[in-house]
């Protein structure tokens, strides 16, 4: 979000041979034009792009204002909450879950975080049911279309993207909803909150009524947002919001080696993954050692084409997703996509590819938000038709057909293999993760943890055990430069 002034001075001096006085004059001129914001009172004399400063200051100001407004008495007591949940969901809440539900009415801002199997989804369903039982207007939203659809499927209630909730106006490049035209809601539940970046959270808090309840649900140990900031982590670190860190792994989930190993990785322990011989049956969690990146790539192709379909009946295109730390290299997304396309798509053996890359039935990903088409960054679909004479193709996303002309082709990429970052907010029946030391720059604990938590039925790690050890030991993700926690604690803004 910002750069410390001293760091900027040192880097400009080294890279561009800019002296102190010239830099100071340039910064003053940019600040006078409103392009940057210099905060001399912050601990590191932070320098922001103006829009990022505005976002950070808005989040802090609005959250503090929400927290200062007293909450009315809870409309339901513990017994009524249990009854409402039992009626809607036919489950018995744990003591931990009941405590969260009771606090939702007594706190303006609540954060629910925890690893897989700790009941976050159950709580989202229960919170929505309890607000409905209390006669409160409650909205459900998520940062991506995939996450919103998954939220709707799991809760049985409507859920939308944050951009749709806030009424993004494509022509004007702004959100329709703000503090002058706020959301008509008494409670907002945001799932996959770790994916929400600073600018988007700034717009959200500005549009949320100060007397509403904000419930942020996410796994703070996953990768942070692609955009600037680390909002969920900063909110938790500040202590301003009431945070529930769910620790109890429920019995059914505890029996899953995927969930057990995800928690081991999160805690800094090596996953339980005895090497699997070439012809052995694949289990729910498997590690297949390979001596080189080339051998790893060949093993991944064999898993997708032969072993997984033969042993599990899963569809290699629809049900299996390769998640890799990087784009380049033998086991990066670029090379693996070309090889998997050739191996899995019979159309690739015949004819000329559209835009030099695509064939009918290819698995593709949309790369950036397109509000006119209502397709969002990270959505995966299948090419259902190519019309070369008309220079367009058709992609089916969840039974909805979207047309692309040749100019729009750069909004698509092959998706047989995708980056771990692009997988956030999604789940797949089976995932395959190449682990090679050539990716050591990207081998981080939170990256491996995020990959493992994307799988529902099967995880297969392929490559080097040393690479797995490196990833588990590397618990130093790149620091996000943010003053949000400081501002929430009473600092400037």
């Amino acid at each position: 979000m910002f750069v410390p002034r001293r760091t900027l001075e040192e880097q400009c001096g080294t890279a561009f041979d800019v002296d102190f006085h010239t830099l100071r004059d340039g910064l003053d001129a940019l600040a006078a034009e409103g392009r940057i914001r210099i905060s001399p009172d912050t601990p590191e004399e932070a320098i922001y792009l103006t829009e990022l400063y505005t976002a950070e200051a808005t989040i802090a100001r609005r959250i503090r204002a929400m927290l200062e407004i007293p909450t009315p008495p809870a409309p339901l007591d513990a017994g009524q909450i249990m009854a409402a949940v039992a009626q809607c969901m036919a489950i018995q809440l744990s003591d931990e879950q009941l405590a969260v539900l009771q606090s939702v009415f007594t706190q303006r801002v609540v954060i629910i975080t925890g690893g897989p199997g700790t009941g976050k989804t159950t709580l989202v369903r229960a919170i929505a049911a309890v607000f409905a039982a209390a006669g409160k207007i409650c909205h459900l939203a998520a940062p991506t279309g995939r996450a919103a659809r998954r939220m709707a499927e799991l809760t049985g209630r409507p859920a939308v993207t944050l951009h749709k909730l806030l009424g993004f106006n494509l022509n004007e490049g702004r959100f329709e909803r703000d503090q002058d035209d706020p959301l008509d809601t008494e409670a907002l539940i945001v799932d996959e909150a770790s994916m929400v970046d600073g600018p988007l959270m700034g717009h959200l808090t500005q549009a949320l009524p100060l007397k509403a309840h904000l419930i942020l649900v996410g796994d703070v140990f996953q990768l942070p947002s692609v955009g600037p900031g680390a909002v969920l982590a900063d909110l938790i670190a500040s202590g301003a919001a009431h945070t529930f860190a769910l620790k109890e792994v429920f019995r059914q989930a505890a029996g899953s080696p995927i969930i057990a190993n995800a928690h081991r990785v999160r805690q800094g322990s090596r996953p339980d993954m005895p090497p699997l011989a070439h012809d052995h049956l694949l289990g729910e969690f498997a590690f297949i050692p390979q001596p080189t990146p080339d051998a790893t790539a060949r093993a991944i192709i064999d898993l997708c084409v032969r072993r997984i379909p033969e042993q599990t009946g899963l569809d290699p295109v629809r049900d299996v997703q390769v998640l890799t730390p990087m784009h380049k290299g033998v086991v990066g997304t670029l090379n693996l996509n070309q090889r998997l396309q050739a191996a899995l798509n019979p159309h690739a053996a015949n004819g000329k590819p559209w835009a030099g890359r695509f064939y009918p039935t290819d698995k593709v990903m949309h790369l950036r938000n397109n509000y006119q088409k209502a397709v969002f960054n990270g959505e995966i679909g299948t090419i259902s038709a190519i019309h070369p004479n008309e220079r367009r193709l058709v992609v089916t996303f969840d039974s909805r057909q979207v047309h692309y002309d040749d100019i729009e082709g750069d909004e698509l990429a092959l998706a047989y293999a995708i980056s771990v970052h692009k997988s956030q907010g999604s789940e797949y029946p089976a995932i395959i993760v190449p682990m090679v030391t050539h990716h050591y720059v990207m081998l981080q604990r939170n990256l491996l943890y995020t990959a493992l938590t994307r799988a529902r039925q099967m995880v297969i790690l392929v490559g080097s055990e040393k690479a797995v050890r490196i990833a588990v030991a590397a618990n130093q993700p790149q620091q996000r430069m943010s003053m949000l926690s400081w501002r929430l604690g009473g600092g400037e803004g």
Side-chain angles (χ1 to χ4, degrees):
M1 297 283 280
F2 76 90
V3 60
R5 185 176 192 123
R6 178 174 294 182
T7 300
L8 185 62
E9 291 171 351
E10 291 173 353
Q11 292 183 351
C12 285
T14 301
F16 308 113
D17 195 26
V18 176
D19 64 77
F20 169 79
H21 296 291
T22 301
L23 177 62
R24 181 191 60 190
D25 292 344
L27 291 174
D28 289 343
L30 289 171
E33 294 171 7
R35 297 167 65 183
I36 66 171
R37 178 69 180 257
I38 302 173
S39 297
D41 296 331
T42 54
E44 300 189 72
E45 192 169 356
I47 299 177
Y48 296 80
L49 293 175
T50 299
E51 58 267 30
L52 297 183
Y53 171 84
T54 301
E56 187 174 279
T58 298
I59 297 168
R61 185 178 66 254
R62 298 286 293 184
I63 293 291
R64 289 206 312 258
M66 291 176 70
L67 294 173
E68 289 172 359
I69 298 176
T71 55
L76 301 178
D77 59 27
Q80 291 171 316
I81 289 174
M82 295 287 278
V85 172
Q87 181 179 359
C88 294
M89 300 170 57
I91 63 169
Q92 186 73 23
L93 296 173
S94 69
D95 292 341
E96 186 178 46
Q97 290 173 325
L98 180 59
V100 175
L101 283 172
Q102 289 178 296
S103 77
V104 162
F105 287 116
T106 60
Q107 304 287 334
R108 290 285 175 205
V109 183
V110 171
I111 296 172
I112 302 170
T113 187
T118 55
K120 296 191 301 295
T121 299
T122 299
L123 273 172
V124 169
R125 293 173 60 202
I127 291 168
V130 168
F131 272 113
K136 301 287 186 181
I137 302 173
C138 180
H139 285 79
L140 279 64
T144 68
R146 291 170 297 156
R149 280 195 300 274
R150 180 168 164 265
M151 192 181 190
E153 290 168 1
L154 293 172
T155 62
R157 298 174 185 274
V160 298
T161 64
L162 290 171
H163 283 79
K164 185 172 183 178
L165 181 74
L166 296 172
F168 185 77
N169 186 315
L170 180 66
N171 294 327
E172 298 182 15
R174 66 179 183 86
F175 292 98
E176 301 284 356
R177 296 289 193 168
D178 56 22
Q179 63 188 57
D180 295 324
D181 185 15
L183 296 168
D184 181 18
T185 191
E186 295 171 278
L188 174 63
I189 306 172
V190 179
D191 199 11
E192 297 288 354
S194 63
M195 298 175 64
V196 183
D197 62 25
L200 183 55
M201 184 61 78
H203 290 295
L204 177 63
T205 53
Q206 194 169 34
L208 192 65
L210 294 178
K211 290 186 177 182
H213 296 271
L214 175 62
I215 301 99
L216 301 174
V217 184
D219 189 343
V220 73
F221 288 95
Q222 289 187 14
L223 292 168
S225 60
V226 175
V231 177
L232 186 65
D234 286 343
L235 285 169
I236 293 172
S238 72
H242 200 111
T243 299
F244 288 91
L246 305 178
K247 296 181 174 61
E248 179 184 354
V249 179
F250 289 90
R251 184 178 303 172
Q252 184 176 359
S256 163
I258 296 174
I259 290 177
N261 278 323
H263 282 278
R264 287 177 64 85
V265 168
R266 178 174 135 169
Q267 294 159 7
S269 298
R270 176 182 171 276
D272 183 12
M273 51 175 212
L276 190 68
H278 177 71
D279 293 326
H280 284 193
L281 289 176
L282 300 168
E284 191 174 340
F285 196 103
F287 170 62
I288 301 176
Q290 295 294 331
T292 65
D294 284 317
T296 298
R298 288 195 297 272
I300 290 172
I301 304 302
D302 184 53
L303 282 163
C304 290
V305 173
R306 183 182 65 85
R307 292 184 72 181
I308 292 178
E310 287 180 1
Q311 293 186 26
T312 68
L314 293 175
D315 184 278
V317 177
R318 183 185 65 246
D319 300 328
V320 180
Q321 185 62 61
V322 179
L323 304 180
T324 180
M326 297 185 73
H327 294 293
K328 296 181 179 180
V330 176
V331 290
T333 59
L334 299 176
N335 182 61
L336 285 177
N337 270 317
Q338 290 180 354
R339 296 180 66 171
L340 287 166
Q341 180 190 50
L344 294 173
N345 190 347
H347 295 283
N350 304 298
K352 182 179 179 181
W354 190 86
R357 294 177 293 162
F358 303 123
Y359 294 94
T361 73
D362 265 335
K363 182 179 183 178
V364 293
M365 172 179 280
H366 189 88
L367 298 177
R368 61 182 68 98
N369 292 337
N370 187 321
Y371 299 97
Q372 290 177 326
K373 296 182 183 295
V375 186
F376 300 95
N377 181 16
E379 294 203 51
I380 291 178
T382 303
I383 296 179
S384 49
I386 293 180
H387 303 284
N389 294 335
E390 301 173 27
R391 302 173 69 179
R392 65 182 179 89
L393 59 74
V394 182
V395 179
T396 300
F397 296 96
D398 292 325
S399 74
R400 187 173 64 89
Q401 293 190 334
V402 179
H403 294 253
Y404 293 81
D405 59 34
D406 55 353
I407 297 175
E408 297 168 322
D410 62 352
E411 295 187 18
L412 295 171
L414 292 173
Y416 301 98
I418 64 174
S419 69
V420 177
H421 285 81
K422 285 289 189 183
S423 74
Q424 288 179 270
S426 293
E427 284 189 344
Y428 312 95
I431 66 161
I432 303 171
V433 185
M435 298 294 296
V436 298
T437 53
H438 290 65
H439 288 170
Y440 73 93
V441 174
M442 294 296 293
L443 293 177
Q444 288 284 335
R445 185 186 301 176
N446 63 348
L447 184 136
L448 177 57
Y449 173 75
T450 300
L452 299 186
T453 58
R454 300 304 90 204
R456 289 197 299 266
Q457 301 174 29
M458 176 179 284
V459 169
I460 304 177
L461 305 182
V462 187
S464 160
E465 184 177 348
K466 181 179 179 181
V468 177
R469 292 199 306 269
I470 290 171
V472 172
N475 193 31
Q476 297 176 328
Q478 185 176 12
Q479 181 184 2
R480 295 289 179 100
M481 303 304 291
S482 166
M483 284 291 176
L484 179 57
S485 180
W486 176 76
R487 295 183 197 281
L488 286 165
E492 176 199 3

